[in-house]
Amino acid sequence: MTRKKFPNLFRYLALIPLLLLGGCSSEHFWLFNPKGPIAATELYYMILDVAVMLIVVVPTILLTIWVIYRYRASSGKGAYAPKWSHSNVLEVVVWGVPIVIVAILAYYSFIGTHQVNPWNPTVITQHSKYAKEQPLEIDVITTDWQWLFVYPKQNVAVSNELVVPVNRLVHFRLTSASVTNNFFIPQLVGQVYVMPGMRSKQSMVAAHTGEYHGLSAALSGGGFSWMNFKVKAVTEQSFKSWVGIAQQSASKLSYAEFKKFARPTVNVGNKVQLFTNIQPGLLVQVIQNVRDGKLRYKTPMFLTENMLSDEFKKHAN
C-alpha cells in the first residue's frame, strides 16, 4: 500500500502502545514515587519547572502550527503587508514573557536549592518533627566497586547495604578510596558526588518503612554495573535490633582490614558483610592516605571482557 492510499490518521495508531505505559505502577518509576521529604521536594520543583516552561513551549508549538496553516502558499488567508516592520505588542510578548518566566524560575530555584541543600536541607532541619532525636551519623566510603557504610557511634559497619530508622534525620559524610562516584537513592535523596581525598555531605529522612534502591550514578570502571546497594528503612526498634546483631559480628574493621576490603572487587553476588570494632577515625584516615598516595590499587585491563575468566573470578565476590 502506498503512502498516498494510506490514511494519515492511521499513522498515529503507532503511538497507541505508548498509552499502555499509563498502567505501569509508580513503584517502577523511582523519581515519581518519593518516600522521603528530600525526594518529594525535588519532585515538586521538577514538576514546577516543567509546568512553567510549558507556558512557553505549548503556545509556541500551537502558534507555529497556526502560522504554517494560515500563511500556506496554496490558499492561505493571511494579509499581505510588505511594509510591516514593528509591533509593540510583539515586543512586549517576546521580551516580557521570558523575563517573567526566568524571574519565577530564579525565585523557586533559590528556595528549592536551600530546601534540599546537602549541608543543611531546610525542608528537614526546620521541621520540628525531626528535631526530637539526635541525627544518625553515617560515614560512606566507596571503593572499586563496593559501598561501605560506617556507623561511628554504634561502632558497626556494613558493606553494600544501608539500614536506617524511619522518620529520623540521617547525616552522611562521604569519601572515595578510588575514583569519583555518585551517591544516589532516587526515592529518598538526590545525587551527590563522592570524591577521593575529599569529604562531601548529604542528609535525608526516610518517611516510610520499606526497601529501596541505591546506586552509583557515575561511571567508575569495570565493576560499575554491579555497584548497587539496598536501603532498608526500618522502625527504630528494628534498627536497634539490627545494631545489636551487627555488634556481634566476628569481622573486625581495622585499617589493615579495610585495605583488604578496598581491593578492586566486582560485587556480582551482592555480598553484604557486617563489621564491628571499627577503626576510630576511619573516614579521615582514608581521606588523608588517598591524598598522600598511600591507598592505591591496580585494576586489571579488560576486567569484564570475559566474565568467565580466572581474572574476573579473582576480583568478584
Side-chain angles (χ1 to χ4, degrees):
M1 183 179 292
T2 64
R3 178 175 294 185
K4 290 183 179 179
K5 292 182 179 180
F6 196 80
N8 290 335
L9 182 61
F10 288 174
R11 299 176 191 172
Y12 297 100
L13 292 177
L15 300 177
I16 289 179
L18 295 178
L19 299 177
L20 299 177
L21 293 176
C24 296
S25 170
S26 62
E27 294 180 1
H28 301 289
F29 295 90
W30 296 327
L31 293 177
F32 295 95
N33 187 26
K35 297 298 182 179
I38 295 287
T41 302
E42 291 176 340
L43 175 61
Y44 168 78
Y45 283 108
M46 181 178 72
I47 294 174
L48 180 66
D49 287 347
V50 172
V52 171
M53 287 186 287
L54 286 177
I55 295 174
V56 173
V57 173
V58 172
T60 301
I61 293 174
L62 295 177
L63 283 172
T64 301
I65 296 172
W66 177 79
V67 168
I68 292 173
Y69 177 80
R70 182 174 177 81
Y71 294 95
R72 65 192 187 278
S74 58
S75 58
K77 299 179 180 179
Y80 179 62
K83 295 183 179 181
W84 182 91
S85 63
H86 181 76
S87 170
N88 290 330
V89 174
L90 283 179
E91 290 287 347
V92 170
V93 172
V94 170
W95 290 102
V97 172
I99 290 173
V100 171
I101 288 176
V102 169
I104 293 173
L105 291 176
Y107 170 78
Y108 284 107
S109 294
F110 178 83
I111 300 298
T113 299
H114 284 80
Q115 286 186 335
V116 299
N117 174 20
W119 287 69
N120 182 35
T122 58
V123 70
I124 294 176
T125 57
Q126 293 182 358
H127 201 302
S128 59
K129 178 181 179 181
Y130 306 118
K132 298 177 182 178
E133 290 191 67
Q134 281 289 105
L136 176 64
E137 306 288 342
I138 301 178
D139 292 341
V140 183
I141 304 174
T142 65
T143 67
D144 285 340
W145 293 272
Q146 298 191 84
W147 296 87
L148 181 67
F149 301 99
V150 180
Y151 301 71
K153 292 183 180 180
Q154 288 74 23
N155 197 29
V156 299
V158 60
S159 64
N160 307 311
E161 183 175 273
L162 175 63
V163 182
V164 297
V166 294
N167 294 320
R168 184 174 174 186
L169 176 58
V170 181
H171 286 321
F172 297 102
R173 299 189 305 169
L174 309 97
T175 193
S176 173
S178 56
V179 298
T180 296
N181 282 288
N182 196 316
F183 178 79
F184 188 25
I185 309 173
Q187 290 183 273
L188 295 176
V189 70
Q191 304 178 35
V192 66
Y193 279 113
V194 186
M195 296 168 283
M198 302 178 67
R199 181 205 64 186
S200 50
K201 287 187 177 184
Q202 185 61 285
S203 301
M204 76 171 195
V205 169
H208 304 274
T209 58
E211 196 169 287
Y212 309 112
H213 188 78
L215 66 149
S216 173
L219 292 171
S220 58
F224 164 76
S225 297
W226 296 272
M227 199 171 175
N228 304 307
F229 60 92
K230 288 183 179 180
V231 182
K232 294 183 177 180
V234 299
T235 63
E236 189 69 38
Q237 185 58 46
S238 297
F239 177 73
K240 291 178 180 178
S241 300
W242 175 83
V243 170
I245 294 172
Q247 289 173 339
Q248 302 302 315
S249 173
S251 301
K252 317 299 181 183
L253 191 61
S254 63
Y255 184 72
E257 289 300 317
F258 170 78
K259 289 174 68 176
K260 295 178 182 179
F261 172 84
R263 292 170 182 167
T265 303
V266 182
N267 190 31
V268 177
N270 294 317
K271 182 179 179 181
V272 176
Q273 187 175 2
L274 296 173
F275 301 92
T276 188
N277 286 3
I278 312 303
Q279 172 85 29
L282 179 61
L283 182 97
V284 176
Q285 190 170 358
V286 169
I287 292 173
Q288 190 59 52
N289 286 347
V290 168
R291 289 179 178 177
D292 296 340
K294 297 179 181 179
L295 194 61
R296 292 183 179 180
Y297 298 93
K298 290 185 178 180
T299 303
M301 293 286 288
F302 310 110
L303 177 63
T304 55
E305 188 176 68
N306 182 2
M307 294 173 61
L308 299 177
S309 67
D310 292 336
E311 189 68 49
F312 181 85
K313 293 177 181 179
K314 179 182 175 182
H315 289 84
N317 59 17

